[in-house]
Amino acid sequence: MGSTTGAARRGAGRRRLDPGRLGAFFRPRSLALVGATDASRWSQATFENWRAHAGDRPVYLVHPRHRVVHGQAAYPSLSALPELPDLLFVMVPTEAVLGVLVEAADLGVRHAVVLTAGFAEAGPAGQAREAELVALAEERDLVVLGPNGNGFVHASVGCCPYGLPLPEPLRPGPLGIALQSGGLASVVLAMAQARAIRPSLVVASGNEAVLEVADVLAYLVEDPATTAVALFLETIRSPKRFAEAASAALAAGKPVVALHVGRSQAGQAAALAHTGAVAGDAARTRAFLEHLGVVPVDSLEDLLATAGLLAALQRGPRPRRLGRRLGVVAVSGGACDLIADRASDEGFELPPFPAATQAALGERLPSFAALRNPLDVTGYVVVDPTLSLRALEVVAADAPGTFDTLLFQLSLPRVAPADPSPLVARLAQVAALQAGSAVPVVLQASGGGDLGGFAGELAARFDLHLLDGIEHGMGALGRAMRWQERRERRLDRPPPPPVGTLAPPPGARGVWGELVARGLLADHGIPLVPAETARDPEEALAAADRLGWPVVLKLVAPGLAHRSDLGGVALDLRRPEELRAAALRLLELAARQGVEGAGLLVSPLKRGGVELLAAVQRDPRLGSFLVLGAGGTLVELLADRALLPLPAQPDDVADALTGLRIGRLLAGARGRPPVDQQALLAAIGALARLGQALGDALDTVELNPLLATPEGAWALDALVVWATPAAEADPSPSR
Amino acid sequence: MGSTTGAARRGAGRRRLDPGRLGAFFRPRSLALVGATDASRWSQATFENWRAHAGDRPVYLVHPRHRVVHGQAAYPSLSALPELPDLLFVMVPTEAVLGVLVEAADLGVRHAVVLTAGFAEAGPAGQAREAELVALAEERDLVVLGPNGNGFVHASVGCCPYGLPLPEPLRPGPLGIALQSGGLASVVLAMAQARAIRPSLVVASGNEAVLEVADVLAYLVEDPATTAVALFLETIRSPKRFAEAASAALAAGKPVVALHVGRSQAGQAAALAHTGAVAGDAARTRAFLEHLGVVPVDSLEDLLATAGLLAALQRGPRPRRLGRRLGVVAVSGGACDLIADRASDEGFELPPFPAATQAALGERLPSFAALRNPLDVTGYVVVDPTLSLRALEVVAADAPGTFDTLLFQLSLPRVAPADPSPLVARLAQVAALQAGSAVPVVLQASGGGDLGGFAGELAARFDLHLLDGIEHGMGALGRAMRWQERRERRLDRPPPPPVGTLAPPPGARGVWGELVARGLLADHGIPLVPAETARDPEEALAAADRLGWPVVLKLVAPGLAHRSDLGGVALDLRRPEELRAAALRLLELAARQGVEGAGLLVSPLKRGGVELLAAVQRDPRLGSFLVLGAGGTLVELLADRALLPLPAQPDDVADALTGLRIGRLLAGARGRPPVDQQALLAAIGALARLGQALGDALDTVELNPLLATPEGAWALDALVVWATPAAEADPSPSR
C-alpha cells in the first residue's frame, strides 16, 4: 500500500461502509461483466458462476467490440445496458480500470469488483494507480472490492460474482470466509467442500483498496446466515476497524478464527511481494487477535476444522456449550489411542463411564469389548453397523453429570452403497439423538477431510457437521471449547478502567537509563529497589551504610543501556574494601568507554525471588503491548514471553504470568514460598497504565529484572526508550 | 499380553520367522475361510476382497452346516477341501479357534490369519487362551497373524485376505503399512486412497501373538515392491527384533515412519485396554525409534504424507536426494506465504532466483508478477493453464547451483473436465520434467488430501506423488530431507565402540547417595569436584583450608538422596565462622531427621559455568538411555531434556547438547566464553559407558549438576539407584 495519502483517504471513505451498504453490495440483483470475452477463462467462470446460482437475475456482458460473448448478446458500453446494474465486475486491462469506474459513477453505479491486477502489488506505478482508485472511490462514493481480487461467493443467497471455477455442488451453510489471497479462495472452497463445510459468504478481498477484511467481518456479524467466520490474513490493515468488528462478533456470539501468515521472515517477504501488505510483527498480531477473542490457527486445515465446528455449535436456537469432560465412542482401538493423546493435549479429561453406563454397554457390546472411555465398540461393528449408534445412545442417556461433551466417530462412504437406506436411517437417528441430547454430541469423520460425493450429500441432507479426523478434529474441539469458555469469562466481567493520556515528560527522546527513568517510574507507582547516587567511593560507602549491606553498585549515566554487557554492574558487595574497589573499577570503565555524565548507583542486594521481565512496547499500528517473561539472565535462554495488548484485565495478566514457563516458580515450586502475587500484579498494573498513557510517545519501557519475592516486588533495573530519537548531540550509547 | 511363559515361547518360536517364510505367508495361492457365513459381513468382505484381486487363485469356504455360502459351495471341514489351502482365515467363535488350528496343523496347513477376538485383549481368561495359541504355534510350527486382527492387503500381488470392506479401486504402489490396530487399517487405507498414496502390503497385526510388526518390517525390507514403510504402533513388543529390522531398513535405504500412540497417560490406558499391549514410556520409545533412524510423527496425516513422499523419493533407479535450498512455484500468493512460513519451520532456505531465472520468468509471466521465491505465477494461470508449468521449466533448468529441492503446486480436479486432454498432456510434461530434472521436483496438491476419483486416476497413470497440501506436505518434505541427511551421516561413520559388561559392585542395592557413589564414579573416569569428608566442624575447617575457600558443605549419608530439598547443603561459605555454623546446622538436621551414618562433605565452590543434568536410565524393555538436560534448579523449570539410547555416538551426544534450550549457553551466549566441550563430552562418555556396562543391575545413575565451565567439567553431586531394592533393614530414606 505504502501511500499515506491513500490510507488517509481510505480512512475517510470507510465511514460510509456500514453493514447496510455492504448488504446491498453483497446481494446485487444484476451484474455487468465489464471486459467480458470468450478468450478469458476469468470471464467465462464469472459468467457461469453467476448463471448457475442467480436464477433469473440478469448478467450483462460489456465489451467494446465483441457482439456476442459466452453465447449471449454483449453491449459495447455501460451506457448501452438496458438497466443500471447493481454491481460491476471489472476485468478490463489495468490501464482501463479507472476509466470504467468513472463511467460507472457518472451513470450512478456505485458497487464494483475489480479483478484486474497491476495495482499496489506491482511496484510504485501500481501504487500510484491504486491511490487514484482510492481517491476516486471516496469522491464518488464507490464501494470497490479488489483490485486484484476474485470477487465473492454469496452461497446463502445464490449470488456468485467470482472469477475462478467453483467446485460444484455449492451448498450454502453457516460459515463466512474472508481471505486476503484470491487464488487461495478457490483452494479453501475446494477444501471446505471436501470436508462438507458449507459457506454462507466467501470474499477474496484482494488489495483491499476500499473494502477490507474488517468491513467484511462487520457485515458477517450482521448476516443472519453466518454463525462463525474464518479469516486468512496477511496483515491487519486497519487495526481499529478490525478490533471493532471482532468485538462485535464476540458480543454477538459469532466466533472468528484466523490464519495469519508471516511468522517467518521469509513468509513476510512473500506477503510483501504479492499484495503490498505490510505484515506486522507476527507475535504481536497473534496477541492482538487473541485479545479480541479471535482464535488463531496455523494451517488451512485447522482454520476450516475450527471455524466449521464453531459455526455448527453456534447455530440453531441455542449454541451448544462444550465442556472439558469428554466421552468418546470410536470405531477402532487405534482411534481411541490417538483420541486419548490428542484429548489430553487439548485439555480434555476422559472420565470413566459410570457403573450403570458400563452395565448397559456390556449388554449391547460383544463380551470382549473393554468398557472404557474412549470406547472402542470393536470390529463387530462391521457385522452389526448399528452397534456404535446403540453404544452412543447408552452413553448419551447417562452423560449428564459425568460428561459435558460427547464425541462420536462416524465413517461415511464417498460412493453410495447399493442400498443406502440403512445408512440413511442411521444418520437420521444420529441427527435426532444429537438434537435431543442434553450434552452436545460432536461427530467425527474417522478418516478426516474426504467427505466429497455421497458423504457430503448425506451431511448436507441431515445438516450434520463432522470433525476432520482426529488430528485436526481434536484441535478444533479444544479450540472451540476454549473459545466458549473465554467468551463467557469476558462477557461476565466489567470493562477495564479507562486509562487517560499522559504528556511525555521534558526531554522524552532517545534512551533513558535507570538513573533518569527512576523518577518517572516512581512517580507513577512502580516500586523500585531503593537506591542512592554516589559520585565516588566514599559517597558510595556512606550510602551503603545507610541502605544496609550487602549492596549492588551500578554505573549510571543518562541514556546508558545494556550496562551488564559492558561489565557496569558489581553484585553482592559485602565489605567496604570490596565496594571501594568496585566503585573505582566502574568509574574507570566509564572513563575508558567515554560515557558522559557517569555516576554510581548504590542499592541493597535483594536475594532470592524470581526475576521477571515486564515491559510495555508500542506498536505503531497495533497499539501498546504488555510484555511479560522470564527476566535477568534467563531472558534469551528461555524465550519465555507473553504479550498482552493494553488495556489488559488484571485476570488476563495473572493468566499470562501463570502461563509462563517460570509461572511455577511464582507459585512456589521446589518448596519455596510463593511470591507476593498482589504486589507483583500491582507493579505490573502500574507499569501497564504508565506505558499505555504515554501512547505514541513511547517505544518501550522495560523493567528487567522485576524481582518478585514473598515480601514484595521491585524493579532492580529499568529502561525507557522514547519514540522520538535522540538529537544528534544527545548521548545515547549502545542501543 | 502379560504371560511370561507366552512371551518366552513366542521368543523361541520367532526364530523360524525368516523373511522367506513370511514371503510364502503373504503370497498364498489359495485361501480357506473357516467360519464363512452369509450372516457375517466379515466373511462376506474377506470373500469379496479375495475374489476381486486374486484372479483364478481359489478361496474355499468352510462351515460345519451351511452347504452354500456367498453363493458358492461350502465344505463342512478342512479335511473335506479338495486341496490343502496355503492360508487359513479363521473367523470361528473364540472357543473354536484353537481346535481349528490343531486340525489345520494335523492336515499340514501352517499359515493362518485369526480374525476372531477374545484373546489377550479380553482379561485373564483371554490371556490364558492366547498363551495356549502361542504354545500351539510353537509346537506345530504355525505362523499366525492375529488373533483380533483383520488380515492383510497385499496390493502388489493382488492378494487380499482382509476382513473389512476395501475402498476400491485398490491401486498397488510402493508403501508398506503395518498397524497394531485392525479397525484403523481401514481408515488408513481410505485416507491413503484419498491422497493417491498406493500401498504394497498393508498388515493389521492384531494381538501379535506370533507375528509382530517387527516381523512384517523385516519382510518389507526384503520386499522389492516396497520402498518405504509406515507403522502405527501401540507398543514395541520385541525391541531387539524391531531394532534389527529397523537397522536393516536403514541400511537398505527404506525409510520407516512411525506413529506411536500413548503420549498421554489417558492414551496409555486406552492402549492397555484394547490389545493388551504394554505401552512403554512415550519419550523413551520415541528416542528409541529416532535412534534407529525411524521417523516419528504425531498424526495419521503426517504418517501418510511423510511415508508416501519417502516411498516416492526412494523409488526408481536412484533415490532423489532432497536438500535445504528450496525453490517454489505456487499458484497463489496466499500459498506462497504459507509455504514460506512452513519452509522456515522445517529448516529450508528460500534463496532468491538468479538474475537469469528472473529474466526468463519475466518473459513468461504477466508484468505484474513478483519474480520472487516462492513464486506466485499469478491468477493469470486461470487464463493460461500452462503458465505454472512454463515457470517451473525455467526454474528447473536454472536450478543446479541455486536450489537442491523444487516444489511445484498442482491442482487436480476430482471430477474429469469435459475435455481432459490438455490436462493429461500437461501432466505428461510434468512427469517428464520430473524424471529429467537434475534437482528433485516434488509436487504438492494445493488443497491437500482429496485426490479421489479422477485426480487419483491421473496420479496413478503418471506415477506421480503429490504432497498432501501445505501443512502436512511441508512437514513431510522436512522430515524426508532430514531422514536422508541423517542416513548419510550414519552410514558414513564407524559403529560405536563396544562396551563390555560390568558386574555390579558389592552392596549394589537401593539408593547410593553422593558419599557412596563417588568411588564407583571416579573409578570409571567420571570427573568429580574434589571433596573431603569431615565428621565435625573442625575437620571441615581443616579440609576447607586444604581445598581452598570458599567452600560448599553437604550433608552425606549412605542412601541419602534429594538432600537439597531437606536443606542439607550450604553454599558459598567464605569464612571459618560461616563454615562452623553451617556444619553444626547440618549435623543437627541429620540428627533431627534420623539420618544414619551422617557425615559432612567439603568441596571447593565452583563458580560460573553451566549446570547440566546427565544421567543413564535403564528401561527394562528398551535398554539403557543417556539423559541430558538443564541441571540444578532449572531441571523442572525448563523441562529441557534429550534422550539417547546407548551406545550413543559422540556426535549424537554433541548434537543432543546443542539441541537443548541451554545449548546456547554451552557455546558461550551473552559474551561468556564457551565451555570446554571436549571435557564435557569426555565426562558424559564415561558416564554413558559406566551406565551401559552396568546393564540391568542399574536403574539410574545421575550427575546433577554436572558443571561445565571453560576450564573443564565436574559432577557436583551424584546419585545411583540400583535395580535391586534395598533390603528392609537398609537405610534408604526419601526416594
Side-chain angles (χ1 to χ4, degrees), chain B residues 149-398:
Chain B
N150 293 326
F152 60 87
V153 177
H154 204 162
S156 60
V157 299
C159 181
C160 303
Y162 182 72
L164 294 172
L166 276 180
E168 296 291 345
L170 178 68
R171 297 193 179 96
L175 182 62
I177 304 176
L179 306 98
Q180 285 176 338
S181 168
L184 205 61
S186 293
V187 170
V188 167
L189 270 167
M191 289 177 73
Q193 193 186 58
R195 285 153 181 79
I197 291 173
R198 290 164 290 133
S200 53
L201 172 63
V202 183
V203 181
S205 60
N207 285 8
E208 304 197 328
V210 176
L211 245 178
E212 296 182 12
V213 158
D215 304 305
V216 178
L217 179 56
Y219 169 71
L220 290 170
V221 173
E222 305 286 327
D223 176 32
T226 300
T227 60
V229 180
L231 303 178
F232 178 86
L233 301 174
E234 287 163 349
T235 188
I236 298 175
R237 225 172 279 269
S238 307
K240 191 163 176 294
R241 185 86 188 86
F242 185 91
E244 285 167 10
S247 300
L250 192 69
K254 293 196 184 181
V256 181
V257 185
L259 171 55
H260 172 249
V261 286
R263 272 180 290 139
S264 64
Q265 284 303 323
Q268 292 190 14
L272 280 170
H274 99 278
T275 60
V278 180
D281 172 77
R284 287 188 203 172
T285 303
R286 192 179 182 102
F288 177 83
L289 291 170
E290 281 191 304
H291 191 63
L292 293 168
V294 174
V295 181
V297 290
D298 290 321
S299 69
L300 293 174
E301 287 84 353
D302 284 338
L303 179 68
L304 285 172
T306 308
L309 171 63
L310 277 163
L313 291 172
Q314 298 295 114
R315 213 178 173 182
R318 62 187 171 89
R320 303 306 309 249
R321 177 65 164 82
L322 305 178
R324 289 184 182 255
R325 295 175 305 167
L326 183 67
V328 181
V329 176
V331 292
S332 76
C336 287
D337 300 339
L338 280 168
I339 289 170
D341 277 0
R342 292 289 288 116
S344 139
D345 295 344
E346 297 293 335
F348 289 101
E349 300 149 32
L350 293 163
F353 293 122
T357 310
Q358 286 193 35
L361 285 172
E363 285 170 23
R364 297 187 178 205
L365 295 181
S367 61
F368 52 83
L371 305 176
R372 304 197 192 205
N373 181 29
L375 181 68
D376 169 14
V377 297
T378 79
Y380 198 73
V381 70
V382 179
V383 177
D384 177 0
T386 70
L387 194 62
S388 70
L389 178 58
R390 290 191 294 128
L392 175 65
E393 283 166 357
V394 168
V395 173
D398 297 352

Side-chain angles (χ1 to χ4, degrees), chain B residues 321-628:
Chain B
R321 177 65 164 82
L322 305 178
R324 289 184 182 255
R325 295 175 305 167
L326 183 67
V328 181
V329 176
V331 292
S332 76
C336 287
D337 300 339
L338 280 168
I339 289 170
D341 277 0
R342 292 289 288 116
S344 139
D345 295 344
E346 297 293 335
F348 289 101
E349 300 149 32
L350 293 163
F353 293 122
T357 310
Q358 286 193 35
L361 285 172
E363 285 170 23
R364 297 187 178 205
L365 295 181
S367 61
F368 52 83
L371 305 176
R372 304 197 192 205
N373 181 29
L375 181 68
D376 169 14
V377 297
T378 79
Y380 198 73
V381 70
V382 179
V383 177
D384 177 0
T386 70
L387 194 62
S388 70
L389 178 58
R390 290 191 294 128
L392 175 65
E393 283 166 357
V394 168
V395 173
D398 297 352
T402 304
F403 301 115
D404 24 47
T405 305
L406 297 179
L407 183 69
F408 181 62
Q409 276 207 321
L410 206 57
S411 300
L412 293 184
R414 181 206 287 258
V415 179
D419 175 15
S421 55
L423 175 60
V424 170
R426 256 196 332 278
L427 280 184
Q429 283 176 280
V430 169
L433 189 152
Q434 205 180 24
S437 170
V439 168
V441 178
V442 177
L443 311 180
Q444 183 177 60
S446 55
D450 186 42
L451 297 179
F454 182 63
E457 192 187 313
L458 287 178
R461 189 188 317 176
F462 293 104
D463 197 12
L464 299 176
H465 175 76
L466 281 83
L467 286 176
D468 176 11
I470 294 168
E471 175 65 16
H472 299 292
M474 296 307 293
L477 201 67
R479 282 186 286 269
M481 178 266 288
R482 293 190 297 273
W483 179 84
Q484 291 182 330
E485 277 185 5
R486 288 191 72 185
R487 176 169 184 268
E488 282 174 11
R489 248 184 17 216
R490 289 186 178 221
L491 296 183
D492 282 352
R493 67 189 184 181
V499 171
T501 57
L502 187 66
R509 54 199 311 145
V511 178
W512 283 13
E514 180 182 358
L515 182 65
V516 191
R518 286 182 66 95
L520 175 69
L521 300 180
D523 286 351
H524 290 87
I526 295 165
L528 298 149
V529 68
E532 295 190 21
T533 50
R535 279 166 301 184
D536 56 38
E538 294 318 306
E539 284 189 12
L541 210 54
D545 284 339
R546 282 190 296 271
L547 291 162
W549 295 85
V551 294
V552 173
L553 191 65
K554 295 187 262 189
L555 183 64
V556 285
L560 178 66
H562 293 252
R563 75 186 142 212
S564 297
D565 297 346
L566 290 177
V569 180
L571 295 168
D572 197 9
L573 305 170
R574 292 164 174 247
R575 280 171 295 189
E577 57 273 28
E578 285 180 9
L579 177 57
R580 259 194 215 100
L584 289 174
R585 181 175 66 76
L586 295 192
L587 292 171
E588 278 168 28
L589 174 73
R592 208 165 54 242
Q593 298 273 338
V595 178
E596 288 184 46
L600 300 168
L601 204 65
V602 186
S603 291
L605 176 73
K606 294 275 178 187
R607 283 188 182 280
V610 181
E611 292 193 340
L612 294 166
L613 176 147
V616 173
Q617 287 191 322
R618 182 74 177 176
D619 181 296
R621 300 179 60 254
L622 301 176
S624 299
F625 288 80
L626 179 64
V627 185
L628 299 172

Side-chain angles (χ1 to χ4, degrees), chain A residues 337 450 472 636 638 664, chain B residues 450 472 636 638 664 670:
Chain A
D337 300 339
D450 186 42
H472 299 291
E636 279 107 18
L638 290 183
R664 271 193 295 169
Chain B
D450 186 42
H472 299 292
E636 281 107 17
L638 288 184
R664 270 192 296 170
R670 291 181 68 88

Side-chain angles (χ1 to χ4, degrees), chain B residues 614-692:
Chain B
V616 173
Q617 287 191 322
R618 182 74 177 176
D619 181 296
R621 300 179 60 254
L622 301 176
S624 299
F625 288 80
L626 179 64
V627 185
L628 299 172
T633 51
L634 292 179
V635 169
E636 281 107 17
L637 179 58
L638 288 184
D640 188 21
R641 293 286 175 93
L643 274 171
L644 278 177
L646 292 175
Q649 299 271 6
D651 56 342
D652 284 343
V653 176
D655 284 356
L657 286 172
T658 308
L660 291 174
R661 215 172 261 276
I662 56 157
R664 270 192 296 170
L665 290 188
L666 298 173
R670 291 181 68 88
R672 305 185 195 199
V675 307
D676 181 343
Q677 173 92 355
Q678 217 170 343
L680 178 60
L681 286 176
I684 294 171
L687 170 71
R689 281 190 299 278
L690 171 64
Q692 199 193 343

